[in-house]
Amino acid sequence: MGAKLSRKKAPCVLVFGLKGSGKTTLAATMRKAASPESVAGHSAPLHLFEGVRFQFVTPGDDLEAVGREGFSALVLMVDGNDLSRLQEHKKPLTELLTTDSIMGLPLCVASNKADLKGGAHVGEVCDGLELATRITGKQRWYISSCSALTGEGLSSLCEWLKSAVD
């Protein structure tokens, strides 16, 4: 008898962030690499990129309802080139960390706009968002700099997301 081959499903990741953080640019970069796909049970098209499915939402979307769509990890996009907006980013971060249907999922903070001069170091973003004190328990988290425009750093972000949901 032959061994059964298991087809591992690509993890499905919810991407959240303020206006101007780079979500639209990231979606456009992903569209260039692959076409968005519709998946049963998801309210919006998913973008398959490097073995990870991404769905984009914005503040004001009902995270509780969206969260019931079966996500395996979260990404918070922040503008790493504008430290003055980190206070604003704390609200969506709190929402991600306290919404029942997605609470405790692995979280990746993507410090976007790494391609611009004067961008913040990930340590500054981590401190500004108070990640070490806001994330409690055994929730896995990671912070990475990236550029949604050039694609820099997206491969390592995807690799971490895949390893975090294994």
Side-chain angles (χ1 to χ4, degrees):
M1 290 201 138
K4 269 190 176 178
L5 294 177
S6 68
R7 265 186 74 188
K8 195 171 186 180
K9 200 173 181 182
C12 194
V13 175
L14 180 67
V15 182
F16 195 69
L18 298 176
K19 184 176 180 174
S21 62
K23 296 180 312 297
T24 303
T25 304
L26 180 59
T29 298
M30 290 178 176
R31 268 194 301 275
K32 289 177 190 171
S35 299
E37 58 181 30
S38 293
V39 175
H42 286 270
S43 59
L46 299 174
H47 300 273
L48 183 62
F49 183 78
E50 295 199 17
V52 179
R53 291 179 175 159
F54 293 86
Q55 181 172 334
F56 296 85
V57 295
T58 56
D61 288 348
D62 182 357
L63 278 183
E64 190 63 51
V66 172
R68 287 190 290 271
E69 296 180 4
F71 292 96
S72 46
L74 309 167
V75 172
L76 174 64
M77 290 283 290
V78 299
D79 182 345
N81 199 46
D82 188 355
L83 286 176
S84 67
R85 290 193 71 201
L86 288 181
Q87 282 300 114
E88 291 176 67
H89 286 287
K90 286 182 183 179
K91 185 177 180 191
L93 175 61
T94 298
E95 206 172 341
L96 286 172
L97 296 175
T98 60
T99 299
D100 286 339
S101 60
I102 56 177
M103 191 167 35
L105 291 177
L107 170 70
C108 178
V109 176
S111 180
N112 189 30
K113 304 185 182 177
D115 55 318
L116 300 177
K117 287 186 179 183
H121 184 274
V122 292
E124 294 173 288
V125 175
C126 185
D127 292 345
L129 292 173
E130 301 169 345
L131 289 175
T133 58
R134 295 166 74 78
I135 299 175
T136 58
K138 295 180 181 177
Q139 182 173 13
R140 293 184 68 187
W141 64 279
Y142 173 74
I143 183 168
S144 176
S145 62
C146 67
S147 170
L149 184 63
T150 67
E152 173 188 341
L154 296 181
S155 291
S156 62
L157 187 144
C158 289
E159 287 306 312
W160 183 85
L161 288 166
K162 288 186 276 190
S163 72
V165 299
D166 276 344

